[in-house]
């Protein structure tokens, strides 16, 4: 069965896109068939997968407006080993154009159902907001992966996201659950980060993934080469952690 996961956190710059492209590449490395959906008009996950967002003829925007199917709009990233349903600035208009459409929050879900058989995992990179785009992601998904930095305000922001997920679960998508919280950009030398990490485990127990993604400059450099760190420099600490995370995901699903 295909697993569809959103990578979401309404906070900006917390590592959503880095998590999406590296988990996609990591899953591909361990033999999984993956589609990466970029649901952010910034198009960072598209570019970070080696696909030029400016040259795309069809994107997730066309899919949401039902002027193209996923099969028509997806492209293969040969270097990364997964398929990409890309995005660019055009996607920002979808929010407005969908306002009067019925079941507008279910557009992506319907579209993904047509290709579900082609993939073991579909990963959706969400924008830093709780917008109609993110809502489309949450309505499509079985679960949410929440990347977070272990900082003082991290827990506060989390309660907004948890409430949104609860509402979507109650009203729109009974399948939806938090798969887990992923600690990213982690620096064990910083005492505060260790403390917040402990608080997270105390509050959320097994919802906190075992794998921790370290702060690692190679992960930050990789996007400028149009690659996930996992492909750009497989021996970097951050890349090794993301492949471990991919394996943790696969193991969790086998156990579930
Ligand atoms: P946005 O909310 O704008 O979509 P985001 O949540 O997708 O942002 P990213 O773009 O993944 O966040 O990451 C923000 C910045 O942090 C980027 O410059 C990225 O390269 C860097 N970064 C992410 N993870 C790490 C890491 N583990 N180590 C070092 N730098 C990282
Ligand atoms: Mg992003």
């Amino acid at each position: 069965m295909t697993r569809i996961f959103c990578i979401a956190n309404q906070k900006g710059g917390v590592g959503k896109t880095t998590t999406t492209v590296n988990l996609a590449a990591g899953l591909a490395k361990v033999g999984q068939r993956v589609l990466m959906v970029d649901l952010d008009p910034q198009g960072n996950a598209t570019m970070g997968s080696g696909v030029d967002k400016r040259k795309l003829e069809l994107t997730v925007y066309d899919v949401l407006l039902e002027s193209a199917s996923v099969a028509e709009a997806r492209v293969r990233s040969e270097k990364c080993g997964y398929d990409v349903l890309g995005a660019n600035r055009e996607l920002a208009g979808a929010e407005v154009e969908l306002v009067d459409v019925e079941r507008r929050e279910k557009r992506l879900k319907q579209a993904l159902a047509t290709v579900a058989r082609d993939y073991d995992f579909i990963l959706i990179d969400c924008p830093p907001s709780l917008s109609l785009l993110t809502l489309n992601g949450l309505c499509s998904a079985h679960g949410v992966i929440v990347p977070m930095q272990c900082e003082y305000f991290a827990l506060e922001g989390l309660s907004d996201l948890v409430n949104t997920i609860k509402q979507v679960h109650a009203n729109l998508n009974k399948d939806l659950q938090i798969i887990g919280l992923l600690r990213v950009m982690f620096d064990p030398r910083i005492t505060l980060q260790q403390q917040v990490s402990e608080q997270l485990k105390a509050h959320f127990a097994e919802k906190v993934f075992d794998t921790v993604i370290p702060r690692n400059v190679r992960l930050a450099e990789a996007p400028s080469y149009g690659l996930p760190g996992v492909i750009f420099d497989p021996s970097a600490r951050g890349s090794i952690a993301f492949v471990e995370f991919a394996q943790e995901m696969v193991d969790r699903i086998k156990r579930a």
Side-chain angles (χ1 to χ4, degrees):
M1 193 185 110
T2 318
R3 300 290 166 153
I4 305 181
F5 295 143
C6 273
I7 292 73
N9 189 329
Q10 77 282 11
K11 218 169 161 231
V14 291
K16 294 179 288 295
T17 300
T18 305
T19 300
T20 308
V21 298
N22 282 286
L23 177 58
L27 286 167
K29 258 197 181 175
V30 298
Q32 305 294 305
R33 300 167 304 155
V34 182
L35 172 67
M36 194 288 293
V37 180
D38 190 350
L39 212 48
D40 187 340
Q42 296 181 97
N44 293 343
T46 304
M47 297 296 277
S49 301
V51 174
D52 190 341
K53 63 182 178 184
R54 293 156 302 197
K55 294 194 179 136
L56 279 175
E57 280 180 26
L58 296 169
T59 66
V60 69
Y61 169 83
D62 301 281
V63 170
L64 289 171
L65 291 178
E66 294 182 346
S67 56
S69 65
V70 179
E72 289 165 337
R74 67 185 165 190
V75 293
R76 179 79 182 162
S77 172
E78 291 296 344
K79 279 185 280 186
C80 300
Y82 55 84
D83 287 354
V84 174
L85 179 55
N88 54 33
R89 283 174 56 192
E90 211 180 15
L91 181 59
E95 197 96 25
V96 178
E97 286 166 68
L98 288 173
V99 158
D100 291 328
V101 170
E102 249 177 74
R103 293 165 64 83
R104 56 184 179 269
E105 69 285 344
K106 298 275 175 73
R107 285 286 177 110
L108 185 64
K109 180 189 170 78
Q110 285 165 2
L112 292 179
T114 64
V115 296
R117 246 182 294 163
D118 300 348
Y119 302 104
D120 302 303
F121 288 91
I122 299 179
L123 302 180
I124 304 171
D125 186 34
C126 290
S129 63
L130 298 172
S131 61
L132 179 59
L133 291 171
T134 300
L135 195 58
N136 260 277
L138 294 176
C139 283
S140 311
H142 303 115
V144 187
I145 296 168
V146 184
M148 54 185 306
Q149 287 170 260
C150 291
E151 286 172 349
Y152 184 66
F153 290 115
L155 289 167
E156 237 171 73
L158 206 54
S159 60
D160 290 343
L161 182 63
V162 169
N163 284 336
T164 303
I165 292 170
K166 274 187 188 154
Q167 278 177 23
V168 174
H169 174 87
N171 300 311
L172 295 165
N173 177 6
K174 280 201 292 297
D175 293 338
L176 191 68
Q177 51 168 316
I178 293 185
I179 302 294
L181 307 178
L182 178 66
R183 292 162 286 174
V184 298
M185 301 191 222
F186 192 76
D187 185 343
R189 291 167 303 181
I190 300 175
T191 312
L192 177 64
Q193 292 208 0
Q194 279 181 353
Q195 287 168 348
V196 174
S197 175
E198 288 309 314
Q199 280 175 359
L200 274 182
K201 280 199 276 187
H203 271 81
F204 293 96
E206 78 287 350
K207 289 281 182 196
V208 181
F209 290 111
D210 294 334
T211 310
V212 177
I213 309 298
R215 182 172 284 284
N216 178 214
V217 69
R218 300 300 270 169
L219 292 176
E221 288 168 351
S224 59
Y225 297 86
L227 291 172
V230 164
I231 308 289
F232 172 63
D233 184 354
S235 63
R237 278 187 318 125
S239 305
I240 292 168
F242 269 116
V243 175
E244 279 171 12
F245 178 48
Q247 191 59 55
E248 183 180 353
M249 284 299 317
V250 172
D251 293 344
R252 271 196 184 216
I253 280 157
K254 270 194 212 143
R255 271 186 278 131

